[in-house]
C-alpha cells in the first residue's frame, strides 16, 4: 500500500461531503454492500473505512471477521438521520478488547 486511502460507505448526501475532502465515497443499495465492502477491504488500498450506521446490520458479521486485521481500520459513524447507537457500542466493544474492561462504563 503506497498511498493509504480512506473510504466511506453510506448515504448519498454524506458521501458527497466526504468526497469533497478527498475521501473515496461509495453509495450502495441494501443488498449490495456485503460484496462491495469485502472488495474494499481485500483491495489493500484503504487504511481507513468509515461505514454509516445505516449499513451496520447488513455488514456486522463481515466487519467482525475483518477486525482482526491491522488494516484497514473500520469505524462506524452515525447517519444523517441520527445515531442508532451502533457506533458507540462498536467503539465500546473495541475499547473492551483493547483495555480488558469497559472503560466507557458510566457506572
Amino acid at each position: 500500500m503506497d498511498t493509504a486511502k480512506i473510504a466511506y460507505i453510506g448515504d448519498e448526501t454524506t458521501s458527497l461531503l466526504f468526497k469533497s475532502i478527498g475521501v473515496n465515497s461509495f453509495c450502495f443499495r441494501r443488498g449490495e454492500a456485503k460484496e462491495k465492502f469485502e472488495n474494499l477491504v481485500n483491495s489493500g488500498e484503504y487504511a481507513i473505512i468509515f461505514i454509516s450506521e445505516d449499513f451496520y446490520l447488513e455488514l456486522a458479521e463481515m466487519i467482525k471477521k475483518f477486525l482482526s486485521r491491522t488494516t484497514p481500520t473500520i469505524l462506524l459513524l452515525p447517519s444523517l438521520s441520527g445515531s442508532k447507537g451502533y457506533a458507540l457500542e462498536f467503539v465500546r466493544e473495541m475499547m473492551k478488547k483493547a483495555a480488558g474492561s469497559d472503560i466507557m462504563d458510566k457506572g
Side-chain angles (χ1 to χ4, degrees):
M1 180 173 5
D2 294 339
T3 303
K5 296 180 184 178
I6 300 172
Y8 172 78
I9 298 171
D11 64 89
E12 188 175 359
T13 303
T14 308
S15 290
L16 290 172
L17 294 171
F18 273 96
K19 209 174 261 193
S20 73
I21 60 168
V23 173
N24 293 344
S25 299
F26 303 91
C27 299
F28 306 131
R29 280 176 268 180
R30 302 275 186 266
E32 301 181 319
K34 285 182 182 180
E35 180 182 347
K36 306 270 185 164
F37 172 68
E38 186 169 28
N39 290 340
L40 287 175
V41 171
N42 288 329
S43 73
E45 293 181 49
Y46 296 95
I48 301 170
I49 299 176
F50 292 108
I51 302 171
S52 170
E53 284 184 321
D54 293 337
F55 287 93
Y56 179 69
L57 293 178
E58 185 174 345
L59 297 173
E61 290 305 312
M62 292 187 82
I63 291 169
K64 289 175 187 169
K65 179 175 112 176
F66 292 122
L67 283 179
S68 61
R69 293 184 178 187
T70 55
T71 57
T73 299
I74 300 168
L75 299 167
L76 292 178
L77 297 176
S79 66
L80 284 179
S81 59
S83 178
K84 295 172 177 61
Y86 303 135
L88 181 60
E89 189 57 33
F90 182 77
V91 170
R92 175 176 273 124
E93 288 302 314
M94 289 177 60
M95 296 297 284
K96 273 193 222 178
K97 279 185 181 180
S101 66
D102 188 355
I103 60 173
M104 294 175 65
D105 185 23
K106 293 180 183 175

